[in-house]
Amino acid sequence: YTICILLLLVGALSGPAVSLFFLAKAIPKRSVVGTSLAIINMASLLSAIVFQPLVGHILDYYWAGAMLDGARIFSHHAYNMALLVIPLSEVVAAGIALLL
């Protein structure tokens, strides 16, 4: 139940991410607009590179050792702890956006 509320917050806090593209486009020095847009776009791709292994490591940390047909079985608590990384990163991103 807690993870549902936290993931709802992720959806609510993800909206301002689009404003980063508008901020990058509004940079007065036109020679760096393309570079700033590329960095913002690359950051979204890098998040997948960082968060997928991070969530996996957290799942492994909370794994109780249960297996079914050779596959690991994780508890609800393990998933809640692993996926907690996503809303926490959204809160950090919202805080950084406020600084902009």
Side-chain angles (χ1 to χ4, degrees), residues 36-71:
S36 62
L37 288 171
I39 289 171
I40 292 169
N41 195 31
M42 183 183 63
S44 65
L45 296 173
L46 286 177
S47 66
I49 294 171
V50 171
F51 283 111
Q52 286 182 2
L54 179 61
V55 168
H57 287 302
I58 296 170
L59 277 173
D60 287 342
Y61 180 79
Y62 286 100
W63 180 48
M67 303 265 304
L68 179 64
D69 294 330

Side-chain angles (χ1 to χ4, degrees), residues 18-38 40:
V18 176
S19 63
L20 289 175
F21 288 99
F22 293 113
L23 285 172
K25 186 74 172 153
I27 292 175
K29 195 171 181 182
R30 294 287 169 207
S31 62
V32 295
V33 169
T35 303
S36 62
L37 288 171
I40 292 169

Side-chain angles (χ1 to χ4, degrees), residues 1-19:
Y1 180 72
T2 304
I3 196 70
C4 292
I5 293 170
L6 292 173
L7 290 175
L8 179 70
L9 287 173
V10 168
L13 295 172
S14 294
V18 176
S19 63

